[in-house]
């Protein structure tokens, strides 16, 4: 176990009603995340995960090609005394273009109900008309 941070990538997927696609995990909602090992670029990893989560046609808006947030947190206990950094990309979609199995953990969560820092960041891009 090293002390290097664990890097993850996450698509922040916003629909036409300004809801985020989240995963139900126990009694809370989380963004989907993946490692970087099998991808050529961070954006490719984020888009691939968005599609795997059931988003058929995610798109990046002009002006949002770069990550919108770097989210540091403590790594899982099994990873030791390390930091986990999630690199987040903003994607848009229409909720009608998403397909989730009935028992899937995916759900749409209103922007006002997610982490305040993430909500503010996404709102700033939406307000600027960049997303």
């Amino acid at each position: 176990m090293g002390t290097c941070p664990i890097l993850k990538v996450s698509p922040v997927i916003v629909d036409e009603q300004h809801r985020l696609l989240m995963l139900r995990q126990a009694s809370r909602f989380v963004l989907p995340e993946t490692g970087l090992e099998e991808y050529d670029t961070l954006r490719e990893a984020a888009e691939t995960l968005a599609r795997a989560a059931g988003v058929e046609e995610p798109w990046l808006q002009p002006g949002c090609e770069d990550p919108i947030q770097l989210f540091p947190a403590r790594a899982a206990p099994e990873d030791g005394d390390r930091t986990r950094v999630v690199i987040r990309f903003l994607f848009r979609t229409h909720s009608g273009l998403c397909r989730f199995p009935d028992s899937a953990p995916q759900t749409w969560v209103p922007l006002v109900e997610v982490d305040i820092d993430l909500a503010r960041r996404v709102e700033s891009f939406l307000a600027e008309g960049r997303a």
Side-chain angles (χ1 to χ4, degrees), residues 44-115:
E44 176 191 1
E47 183 174 353
T48 300
L49 183 55
R51 291 181 187 281
V55 180
E56 291 181 13
E57 295 185 36
W59 70 87
L60 288 168
Q61 290 289 326
C64 293
E65 292 83 6
D66 295 323
I68 64 162
Q69 186 181 47
L70 299 178
F71 180 75
R74 185 172 264 303
E78 62 269 13
D79 292 322
D81 188 24
R82 299 170 72 183
T83 300
R84 184 181 106 244
V85 177
V86 183
I87 303 157
R88 294 177 171 169
F89 286 86
L90 181 62
F91 286 89
R92 297 300 307 269
T93 193
H94 292 288
S95 55
L97 297 175
C98 300
R99 305 286 179 254
F100 314 130
D102 291 336
S103 61
Q106 295 95 319
T107 189
W108 292 107
V109 177
L111 194 54
V112 297
E113 295 178 20
V114 301
D115 171 77

Side-chain angles (χ1 to χ4, degrees), residues 12-14 18-22 107-109 111 114 118 122:
V12 177
I13 305 160
V14 181
H18 292 187
R19 301 177 299 176
L20 295 185
L21 183 64
M22 306 285 282
T107 189
W108 292 107
V109 177
L111 194 54
V114 301
L118 177 60
V122 170

